[in-house]
Amino acid sequence: MREEQFLETSRKDFWWLSPLAVFIGLSLFGIYSAWAAFQGEHYQWGPYLSPFYSPLIVVDWWKWSPAFLILWAPAGFRATCYYYRKAYYRAFFLSPPACAVGDLKIRKYKGETNFPFIFQNIHRCFLYLALIFIVILWIDVYHATRFENGFGIGAGTLVLFANTSLLSLYTFSCHSLRHLVGGRMDCFSKCGTPGDVQHKTWEVVSCLNKKHMLWAWLSLFMVGFSDLYVRLVSMGIIKDFRIF
Ligand code: FES
């Protein structure tokens, strides 16, 4: 049988749109987040703290931006995510660019069984860290309501609230979490006991899991926007609007 050439396909649809959009979206986010992490300033204003710098760790021995003490964990969580893996393998490695489209012939490619991609298997460890981060970010939302003159809600409070909500939806829809809560069962839909706590939790995670890709993109956009919002307010470029 003749081997398909690179990008050869009989597909007639716009199959290239999805990998192109992923390439642009992830590149823009990567460039912005690297820039924001290198700044090391303007990440705090009043009760607001940028999620890129949360939890705020300031130690004497660390001479660089505090963001670098933090960002490796959420970056690792996203980089090893089952959905993102599919998306960036297609968009960046063109391996394959899409279903039924000829790929780059990488002869030595051994999947995720060899270095470096074998590290994708530690996704569950990153999930444990992400769950801790979710708790910290909800505490930040609480702090974002504590202004100098007491309780209040500003536009920044809502931005941080929306960000943490979307990050929670992304984290709680994780495939690894679904496997974790449905553990010990080969086929939960057939063997689980409907009504018990584990089965109910599995149903909730499964329901969220159906939209995992949506939560992945919305939360990615929102976490970047939250940093940008706090940064612009802190730099005095925009004013925070106090709702009450
Ligand atoms: S599979 Fe995407 S966050 Fe776990």
Side-chain angles (χ1 to χ4, degrees):
M1 203 171 91
R2 191 177 73 82
E3 210 176 10
E4 268 178 343
Q5 296 302 305
F6 178 46
L7 297 184
E8 187 181 339
T9 183
S10 44
R11 286 179 65 169
K12 299 276 185 280
D13 61 340
F14 298 111
W15 61 264
W16 46 269
L17 261 182
S18 171
L20 181 65
V22 169
F23 181 85
I24 294 171
L26 290 184
S27 298
L28 288 177
F29 181 79
I31 292 166
Y32 174 78
S33 51
W35 175 82
F38 271 105
Q39 297 310 299
E41 57 180 359
H42 297 303
Y43 50 78
Q44 218 171 1
W45 182 86
Y48 306 151
L49 173 64
S50 159
F52 283 10
Y53 287 78
S54 178
L56 189 54
I57 304 171
V58 183
V59 278
D60 291 341
W61 51 268
W62 184 257
K63 303 292 176 218
W64 300 276
S65 166
F68 293 120
L69 291 170
I70 296 151
L71 286 182
W72 60 271
F77 185 49
R78 293 219 184 232
T80 56
C81 162
Y82 290 78
Y83 162 67
Y84 280 118
R85 271 143 76 173
K86 181 194 87 170
Y88 69 71
Y89 285 174
R90 289 183 173 185
F92 288 84
F93 306 152
L94 304 172
S95 181
C99 283
V101 178
D103 64 350
L104 268 181
K105 305 288 176 238
I106 304 173
R107 299 290 170 204
K108 288 193 181 143
Y109 178 64
K110 298 235 174 27
E112 295 178 342
T113 57
N114 271 43
F115 180 83
F117 294 111
I118 194 163
F119 286 112
Q120 302 282 30
N121 294 303
I122 58 174
H123 183 62
R124 184 179 284 197
C125 302
F126 280 115
L127 167 67
Y128 299 143
L129 286 172
L131 291 170
I132 297 170
F133 271 79
I134 290 298
V135 174
I136 293 167
L137 289 170
W138 277 113
I139 294 171
D140 286 348
V141 173
Y142 167 75
H143 286 307
T145 63
R146 316 308 298 175
F147 289 81
E148 270 178 6
N149 55 354
F151 177 80
I153 291 184
T157 316
L158 298 183
V159 168
L160 294 181
F161 175 79
N163 174 53
T164 307
S165 302
L166 288 169
L167 285 173
S168 301
L169 287 167
Y170 172 57
T171 305
F172 289 117
S173 63
C174 170
H175 293 68
S176 275
L177 184 65
R178 183 168 179 264
H179 184 261
L180 197 63
V181 298
R184 296 183 288 107
M185 304 280 183
D186 288 337
C187 179
F188 210 143
S189 58
K190 292 204 179 78
C191 315
T193 315
D196 74 13
V197 175
Q198 188 184 7
H199 190 268
K200 275 207 174 331
T201 312
W202 175 79
E203 279 184 328
V204 171
V205 176
S206 299
C207 182
L208 292 175
N209 181 260
K210 288 179 193 157
K211 298 251 185 300
H212 190 57
M213 182 179 89
L214 178 70
W215 308 133
W217 282 107
L218 290 180
S219 62
L220 190 81
F221 168 79
M222 201 62 202
V223 76
F225 180 76
S226 302
D227 176 85
L228 182 66
Y229 183 86
V230 175
R231 190 167 294 283
L232 293 179
V233 172
S234 158
M235 293 168 82
I237 295 174
I238 59 170
K239 272 204 171 318
D240 182 54
F241 175 69
R242 183 83 176 263
I243 297 163
F244 68 84

